[in-house]
Every structure is written in structure tokens, then in C-alpha cells.
């Protein structure tokens, strides 16, 4: 399930307020990356139009809109996103929502990723929202429910990857944001890992935004991260670098 070419494991988060800036970034990165994530900021700024363009140019597209609504709406929205030529779409890991998205993706190449628990939530946030479970239990419960619903993968923090991998084995793709090359600023990410550590802990794809998009040379920054991923495929990846904080 994990791509064999490290270059295919990097997903660049195109977090930009409008289409022009996103298109300039894609041009600057060139063939250093093959997979782009369009999130809410860009999508609601007209950036969803970039999805079919990227797909037509041979790039892969991750639409990160974290769907969650009544099943009919989720199913129909998922079908629309499949028509854009996207490869990945995120939905919240509620069983009803995951089943509806699965129905909407039927017959397309779209793969579904479930967001188990937002990494901005801790146990107190879940209790405040009325949940009976803490983060660790809820992540595990939803990982199992994602497998049962036929979901393709999970978005999780690098800190959770090894534990989820132990629960679901090879049944799900693991996609991790919060990745920082050694020495890079963590910015607002609280739990970060190096590319090598995330891969060693079982991540299949790494989502990286600012360390590439805010670098004066985004192409070189992407190349460096691909090189770090490639290094993690060596025989003892656990020695290749651990989390930064
Ligand atoms: O700039 P940075 O590398 O922190 O960007 C990470 C990307 O992954 C952003 O688009 C962010 O919204 C997304 N993301 C995240 N943490 C999650 C889920 C998504 O950082 N738990």
C-alpha cells in the first residue's frame, strides 16, 4: 500500500489564500512533488478549480475538506469531489459519515481518509463536547470503525502512527501532517516528527506545508524532504531521526 518511490510519499499542503499563489507554488516546485493537498482555505478561495487542472497535468490531489453532514449530503458531495479527479478526500470518522462517503466514492478512483480525532483536541476538549472516551480510546475505536466501513486510510499525528499501525495492521493507509525536517521551525504544530521518524513509525504519506511553501526555494525544500524519506527506507530507519519535540 505504501508507495515504493519516496517522491510519491510527499504531499505538499497548498495552504494559500487564493488560486494564483497556489499555482505559482506548484510551478516553483516543479517535478520535486507529485501530490498536493487543497484544504479549506484554498478551496473556499476558489482553489478547488485547481484540482482538475493538477489531475490533468499528472499530479495527484488530496481534497482536505473533512466532510461531515447527513448521509445524503456526504454521499453526493463525495461523488462531486470524485469527479474532480481527486485521489484522496478526508471525512470525519463518524461511522454514518464514513459509510455515506464510501457510497459516494463507489465506481471512482477516489480514496477516503478518515480524520479520527482532530489533533487540536485533548481529553478535556472531548469531555466538554460530551464524549465518554479520551483521545487514545476514541482514536483506536474510530480506527477500527474506519476499517469496518471500508475506508482506505486515516489522517493521524506522527505520534499516533505507530499505535494505530499496531491496531489496524496494514488495513489502512496512514497519512501524517505535523512533519518537520530536522532543524525546521515547528510553527503552531505541537507534536512534530522528522520525515524519517514518521516513516519509521508506519506513515505511508507525509503532509508538509510551511517548511516547503514558505521556503525561499520551495523546490529545493521538497527535494530535501524526499531525500529524508528515502533515507528512512534504509535498513535501520529508527536510527535515522526521532521526533523533534
Ligand atoms: O504547514 P504545515 O506543515 O504545518 O501544514 C500541515 C497541513 O496539514 C495543514 O494543511 C494543516 O491544516 C493540515 N493538518 C494538520 N493537522 C491535522 C490535520 C491536518 O496540520 N491534524
Amino acid at each position: 500500500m505504501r508507495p515504493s518511490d519516496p517522491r510519491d510519499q510527499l504531499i505538499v499542503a497548498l495552504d494559500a489564500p487564493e488560486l494564483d499563489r497556489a499555482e505559482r507554488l506548484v510551478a516553483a516546485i516543479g517535478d520535486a512533488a507529485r501530490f498536493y493537498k487543497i484544504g479549506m482555505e484554498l478551496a473556499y478561495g476558489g482553489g478547488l478549480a485547481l484540482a482538475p487542472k493538477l489531475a490533468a497535468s499528472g499530479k495527484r490531489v488530496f481534497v482536505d475538506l473533512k466532510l461531515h453532514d447527513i448521509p445524503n449530503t456526504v454521499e453526493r458531495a463525495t461523488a462531486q469531489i470524485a469527479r474532480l479527479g481527486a485521489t484522496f478526500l478526508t471525512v470525519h470518522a463518524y461511522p454514518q459519515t464514513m459509510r455515506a462517503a464510501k457510497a459516494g466514492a463507489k465506481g471512482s478512483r477516489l480514496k477516503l481518509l478518515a480524520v479520527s480525532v482532530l489533533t487540536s483536541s485533548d481529553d478535556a476538549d472531548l469531555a466538554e463536547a460530551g464524549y465518554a472516551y479520551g483521545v487514545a480510546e476514541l482514536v483506536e475505536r474510530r480506527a477500527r470503525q474506519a476499517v469496518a466501513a471500508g475506508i482506505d486510510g486515516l489522517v493521524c499525528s506522527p505520534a499516533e502512527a505507530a499505535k494505530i499501525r499496531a491496531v489496524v495492521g496494514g488495513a489502512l493507509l496512514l497519512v501524517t501532517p505535523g512533519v518537520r525536517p530536522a532543524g525546521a521551525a515547528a510553527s503552531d504544530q505541537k507534536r512534530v516528527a522528522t520525515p524519517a521518524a514518521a516513516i519509521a513509525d508506519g506513515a505511508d504519506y507525509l503532509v508538509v506545508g510551511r517548511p516547503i511553501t514558505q521556503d525561499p526555494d520551495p523546490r529545493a525544500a521538497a527535494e530535501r524532504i524526499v531525500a529524508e524519506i528515502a533515507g528512512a527506507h534504509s535498513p535501520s530507519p529508527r536510527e535515522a531521526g526521532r521526533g523533534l519535540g
Side-chain angles (χ1 to χ4, degrees):
M1 298 228 291
R2 174 184 279 188
S4 54
D5 185 338
R7 199 173 290 269
D8 291 320
Q9 290 182 271
L10 172 64
I11 302 176
V12 179
L14 281 176
D15 293 323
E18 81 284 317
L19 196 54
D20 275 7
R21 162 119 181 98
E23 286 186 313
R24 281 200 301 275
L25 273 167
V26 172
I29 293 167
D31 60 7
R34 298 173 178 163
F35 212 149
Y36 288 97
K37 181 169 90 68
I38 298 176
M40 290 188 196
E41 180 189 10
L42 181 57
Y44 298 142
L48 218 43
L50 190 55
K53 283 194 200 174
L54 285 171
S57 72
K59 304 290 186 194
R60 293 201 286 164
V61 182
F62 172 1
V63 175
D64 186 17
L65 289 181
K66 299 186 178 68
L67 304 188
H68 182 47
D69 206 315
I70 59 169
N72 180 59
T73 303
V74 169
E75 181 175 338
R76 294 168 77 101
T78 301
Q80 293 281 48
I81 291 162
R83 280 182 211 112
L84 297 177
T87 296
F88 285 163
L89 166 68
T90 42
V91 302
H92 281 282
Y94 288 73
Q96 193 182 59
T97 295
M98 293 191 286
R99 288 192 292 269
K102 184 80 187 155
K106 200 168 173 210
S108 76
R109 288 180 315 171
L110 181 67
K111 289 190 190 304
L112 299 168
L113 304 179
V115 178
S116 54
V117 177
L118 290 172
T119 48
S120 52
S121 295
D122 60 17
D123 289 350
D125 293 309
L126 291 183
E128 187 185 16
Y131 288 91
Y133 298 100
V135 172
E137 291 162 290
L138 194 55
V139 166
E140 186 173 330
R141 183 182 170 87
R142 288 183 166 173
R144 293 187 198 284
Q145 290 172 328
V147 175
I151 290 293
D152 301 284
L154 282 185
V155 179
C156 62
S157 86
E160 292 165 342
K163 200 174 152 219
I164 293 175
R165 188 54 87 202
V167 172
V168 302
L172 296 175
L173 293 168
L174 297 185
V175 180
T176 60
V179 173
R180 291 290 178 266
S187 312
D188 54 353
Q189 296 283 9
K190 292 193 177 124
R191 286 173 293 151
V192 298
T194 61
I199 295 287
D201 282 340
D204 298 298
Y205 292 88
L206 309 182
V207 177
V208 184
R210 288 161 290 181
I212 295 174
T213 59
Q214 311 219 324
D215 193 288
D217 186 346
R219 180 189 176 90
E223 294 283 7
R224 282 195 299 275
I225 291 171
V226 170
E228 277 197 63
I229 296 172
H233 288 271
S234 63
S236 52
R238 283 179 185 275
E239 277 141 43
R242 301 298 306 172
L244 299 175

